[in-house]
């Protein structure tokens, strides 16, 4: 595992140790139940394992400063959004949180920075912008970038499920996917066939 992946792993471990505080921030941010916040935190953090982090390492943003523009969506989405350019070699990551969900982004950035990773809230000169949000917002952001600044937009997703069988496990899995993040996730199933 690279040094960056090890530092991200330590940050995720720190978030796990602060699980109760993170759950409360998620509950407050999303306005959901304690059970939904518990599931969100536990499910999200469980995906961050050393092998998975090592597999994400590449040179996509090698040596570049990157701005990550976050949308108000799934409460822990800032973790993935900020970790990816770090694991892809960005020399600096500037994070612009959503006005509606600044607390989770602040926690994520502070936890990653405490592990020596080059990430901070605010603005800085960048060579790339990674933005999350509505397609219309992404179009505006893409057009506003100066020449030479690479733009990567992640817009609206539409989740659909195609079932080829039915049973208790299938029903339980479908119910979990539909309930997850109170339908705020971009891949939360909207249609079941």
């Amino acid at each position: 595992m690279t040094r960056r992946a090890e530092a991200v792993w330590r940050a995720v471990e720190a978030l796990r140790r602060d699980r109760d505080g993170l759950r409360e921030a998620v509950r407050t941010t999303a306005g959901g139940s304690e059970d939904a916040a518990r599931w969100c935190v536990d499910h999200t953090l469980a995906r961050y394992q050393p092998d998975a982090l090592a597999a994400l390492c590449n040179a996509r943003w090698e040596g570049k400063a990157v701005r990550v523009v976050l949308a108000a969506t799934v409460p822990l989405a800032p973790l993935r959004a900020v970790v990816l350019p770090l694991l892809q070699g960005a020399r600096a990551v500037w994070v612009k949180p959503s006005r509606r969900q600044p607390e989770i982004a602040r926690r994520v950035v502070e936890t990653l920075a405490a592990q020596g990773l080059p990430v901070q809230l605010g603005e800085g000169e960048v060579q790339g912008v990674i933005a999350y949000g509505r397609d219309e917002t992404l179009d505006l952001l893409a057009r506003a970038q100066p020449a030479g600044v690479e733009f990567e937009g992640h817009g609206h997703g539409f989740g659909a499920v195609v079932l080829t069988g039915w049973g208790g496990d299938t029903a339980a899995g479908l119910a979990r996917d539909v309930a997850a993040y109170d339908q705020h996730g971009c891949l939360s199933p909207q249609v079941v066939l």
Side-chain angles (χ1 to χ4, degrees):
M1 194 161 51
T2 68
R3 279 191 212 165
R4 285 263 176 107
E6 288 173 2
V8 169
W9 173 248
R10 289 191 307 271
V12 170
E13 286 294 289
L15 290 169
R16 283 188 182 108
R17 286 190 298 276
D18 184 34
R19 189 176 263 129
D20 291 341
L22 191 56
R23 285 176 183 157
E24 181 58 24
V26 166
R27 192 189 67 69
T28 302
T29 296
S33 70
E34 288 184 32
D35 286 340
R38 183 179 304 108
W39 181 88
C40 175
V41 170
D42 294 348
H43 178 75
T44 300
L45 294 181
R47 292 183 292 182
Y48 289 83
Q49 297 298 323
D51 290 347
L53 294 171
L56 294 172
C57 293
N58 63 51
R60 165 77 172 93
W61 294 105
E62 188 68 39
K64 295 179 180 176
V66 176
R67 178 178 305 115
V68 176
V69 181
L70 299 169
T73 58
V74 175
L76 279 177
L79 180 59
R80 177 184 170 277
V82 175
V83 162
L84 279 176
L86 288 170
L87 293 177
Q88 294 171 340
R91 70 174 166 77
V93 177
W94 296 89
V95 179
K96 182 179 188 299
S98 161
R99 289 185 313 267
R100 293 189 331 228
Q101 292 181 335
E103 177 62 20
I104 300 295
R106 184 190 61 75
R107 283 175 178 262
V108 165
V109 167
E110 288 176 357
T111 303
L112 291 165
Q115 296 304 320
L117 291 162
V119 59
Q120 59 187 308
L121 294 171
E123 300 282 333
E125 188 173 323
V126 298
Q127 291 79 44
V129 173
I130 304 168
Y132 296 82
R134 295 179 357 186
D135 295 342
E136 298 84 5
T137 303
L138 295 178
D139 287 342
L140 290 171
L141 285 171
R143 286 194 302 262
Q145 299 311 310
V149 173
E150 187 176 349
F151 183 81
E152 181 181 304
H154 298 271
H156 179 72
F158 183 83
V161 175
V162 177
L163 296 176
T164 58
W166 187 258
D169 289 344
T170 303
L174 178 59
R176 182 187 58 246
D177 288 348
V178 168
Y181 311 115
D182 295 324
Q183 289 288 291
H184 290 286
C186 60
L187 296 180
S188 296
Q190 305 293 311
V191 173
V192 179
L193 304 171

